Amino acid sequence: MDQGLYSQDELSLVPELALNLLRGCGNPTGFANLQLGDVVVDFGSGGGIDVILAAHKVGSRGRVIGIDFASQMIERAKQTVAEMGFQDRNIELRVSDMTRTQLPDRFADVVISNCVINLCPDKDAVYQEAFRILGPKGRLAISDIALTEEINPKLREGFQSIWAGCLGGAIPEEEYWQVVQRAGFEGIQIVARHTLTHEELETMACCPGDDFTPSPAIEHVAAVQEKVTSVKFTAVKRFHIDKEHQFPDQTEGKKEGGLRG
Ligand SMILES: C[S@@+](CC[C@H](N)C(=O)[O-])C[C@H]1O[C@@H](n2cnc3c(N)ncnc32)[C@H](O)[C@@H]1O
């Protein structure tokens, strides 16, 4: 199975700054089937690589919103967008928590995320927020981390205490799919999966970089080896649930603006 990573062509589109901050575990825009004009929201946009690649795909009639709760990351992503000369594109980078984006209901066509949701202790809240902001035919294209075997709770706690460490919040894969379905998504399609190597685990445990997060001890990384998988998947919003929620139709406002907060 293809690992769902970036192609050389895609990487050549992205400035050095964003490549240096790249801490993803996949390439969500590569399998999101983005269309010209789509409105895309990136949960945990980091240095902005997926925002840039999404902007390429949705064109000038589309719109891309990068959400990250770390203001330093948003600042760096803004630099990236400026370096690309993409200021004229409909790109917005907002400091916000992905569980409370303050975006309107039914705002987006696609929610993407790259190696972020595993960090959040309340994954139900993340997927409920994605459900809320997606329109009736909305879809997810997510690259994330899950556990194929339980890891020692003490070790897990250690990883959790590391700021933005990518492993601490990972949950067992079966539980993960339940969260996605409980939020109202269906048709989960696994696009690619990959058991993380020692090197990848090391990088992930101290993301978004050594200058932000101390590295974990080698033996701690070794103890989780073969137990962590990177999973790339798509899913769609279950329409009848949306009807039950009876959200007012906001389709008209969504492309013109209408961002709250
Ligand atoms: C592993 S990095 C991934 C960054 C980017 N998606 C990439 O592929 O390079 C995780 C990012 O998610 C952000 N993040 C973590 N939890 C978040 C939350 N609850 N809401 C918004 N951003 C969050 C961090 O600040 C960090 O920039």
Side-chain angles (χ1 to χ4, degrees), residues 6 21-26 42-50 67-70 73 96-99 113-116 119-120 163-164 166 207-208:
Y6 301 105
L21 286 171
L22 169 57
R23 292 294 179 272
C25 47
D42 183 8
F43 279 7
S45 45
I49 183 166
D50 298 316
I67 301 279
D68 202 293
F69 71 1
M73 299 309 284
S96 188
D97 193 297
M98 63 187 163
T99 59
S113 187
N114 197 352
C115 222
V116 179
L119 304 174
C120 184
W163 185 84
C166 292
C207 66

Side-chain angles (χ1 to χ4, degrees), residues 168-209:
I171 57 173
E173 195 180 337
E174 264 179 41
E175 213 179 296
Y176 195 103
W177 303 131
Q178 285 167 12
V179 171
V180 176
Q181 287 169 323
R182 198 155 56 224
F185 293 96
E186 63 185 3
I188 296 171
Q189 301 267 357
I190 297 177
V191 177
R193 63 161 61 251
H194 161 67
T195 302
L196 297 181
T197 63
H198 187 97
E199 268 178 12
E200 288 167 326
L201 287 166
E202 228 169 10
T203 314
M204 292 208 165
C206 66
C207 66

Side-chain angles (χ1 to χ4, degrees), residues 3-236:
Q3 288 189 15
L5 302 176
Y6 301 105
S7 67
Q8 279 311 317
D9 284 351
E10 285 168 314
L11 292 174
S12 68
L13 295 172
V14 181
E16 195 75 18
L17 180 63
L19 291 180
N20 290 340
L21 286 171
L22 169 57
R23 292 294 179 272
C25 47
N27 173 15
T29 65
F31 57 85
N33 191 23
L34 296 180
Q35 305 294 316
L36 287 175
D38 271 349
V39 176
V40 181
V41 179
D42 183 8
F43 279 7
S45 45
I49 183 166
D50 298 316
V51 167
I52 296 286
L53 293 175
H56 269 287
K57 295 200 170 173
V58 302
S60 54
R61 284 186 299 119
R63 188 164 176 189
V64 185
I65 320 292
I67 301 279
D68 202 293
F69 71 1
S71 54
Q72 312 98 301
M73 299 309 284
I74 289 292
E75 281 317 309
R76 292 187 184 192
K78 281 183 177 167
Q79 269 175 272
T80 302
V81 169
E83 254 185 60
M84 290 289 295
F86 264 24
Q87 299 93 317
D88 59 328
R89 300 283 174 120
N90 291 325
I91 294 178
E92 282 167 62
L93 294 154
R94 316 180 108 212
V95 179
S96 188
D97 193 297
M98 63 187 163
T99 59
R100 293 180 300 276
T101 61
Q102 297 185 313
L103 294 169
D105 293 348
R106 299 173 134 200
F107 170 78
D109 298 299
V110 188
V111 169
I112 60 170
S113 187
N114 197 352
C115 222
V116 179
I117 298 171
N118 65 93
L119 304 174
C120 184
D122 191 353
K123 291 169 187 50
D124 281 299
V126 177
Y127 281 106
Q128 282 161 14
E129 181 67 353
F131 184 91
R132 185 188 68 76
I133 66 169
L134 281 168
K137 290 184 186 157
R139 54 200 201 276
L140 299 172
I142 307 290
S143 182
D144 207 2
I145 301 291
L147 302 178
T148 47
E149 267 181 64
E150 276 291 356
I151 59 176
N152 177 316
K154 266 204 157 167
L155 194 56
R156 197 163 164 177
E157 211 177 286
F159 281 118
Q160 254 160 7
S161 61
I162 298 172
W163 185 84
C166 292
L167 300 176
I171 57 173
E173 195 180 337
E174 264 179 41
E175 213 179 296
Y176 195 103
W177 303 131
Q178 285 167 12
V179 171
V180 176
Q181 287 169 323
R182 198 155 56 224
F185 293 96
E186 63 185 3
I188 296 171
Q189 301 267 357
I190 297 177
V191 177
R193 63 161 61 251
H194 161 67
T195 302
L196 297 181
T197 63
H198 187 97
E199 268 178 12
E200 288 167 326
L201 287 166
E202 228 169 10
T203 314
M204 292 208 165
C206 66
C207 66
D210 281 349
D211 40 342
F212 292 92
T213 311
S215 299
I218 287 189
E219 64 271 22
H220 291 158
V221 176
V224 295
Q225 206 166 339
E226 301 294 323
K227 298 182 179 175
V228 187
T229 183
S230 138
V231 168
K232 293 94 182 158
F233 70 96
T234 57
V236 291

